[in-house]
Amino acid sequence: MDVLFPKLSDGGLYMIEDTHASYWANYSGGYQTRGSFMTVVKSMIDDIHHWYHNRGFNVLSTGENLRAVHVYDSIVVL
């Protein structure tokens, strides 16, 4: 995220596929595994709701620039 998201054009979409692998142990993942991509996505959801809490941003590269997070089976769209 820290490398590619800042290069995204204003209003652009960033699509990540095969996110189901975040739950596979052989890819260093698992259910609610700290540091997995899906855990980062959950933090991004908290970030877009930063108006309602005082915890700041979890994912600095997306910060105030992320407007929506769409989660589908094996695909995330930012």
Side-chain angles (χ1 to χ4, degrees):
M1 296 310 311
D2 294 336
V3 174
L4 296 178
F5 192 83
K7 296 182 182 301
L8 187 63
S9 298
D10 288 344
L13 294 176
Y14 189 20
M15 299 180 73
I16 303 97
E17 63 179 347
D18 298 334
T19 57
H20 58 275
S22 292
Y23 296 97
W24 293 350
N26 56 336
Y27 286 91
S28 301
Y31 181 72
Q32 296 186 348
T33 299
R34 188 179 190 104
S36 75
F37 179 71
M38 292 308 293
T39 302
V40 173
V41 168
K42 293 170 190 173
S43 293
M44 289 178 184
I45 292 169
D46 289 338
D47 286 353
I48 64 173
H49 292 93
H50 73 276
W51 306 105
Y52 308 108
H53 62 78
N54 62 356
R55 303 283 181 149
F57 294 108
N58 297 302
V59 184
L60 298 179
S61 59
T62 56
E64 293 181 324
N65 299 311
L66 184 62
R67 298 291 176 247
V69 177
H70 302 271
V71 180
Y72 304 95
D73 183 11
S74 302
I75 296 175
V76 173
V77 181
L78 309 174

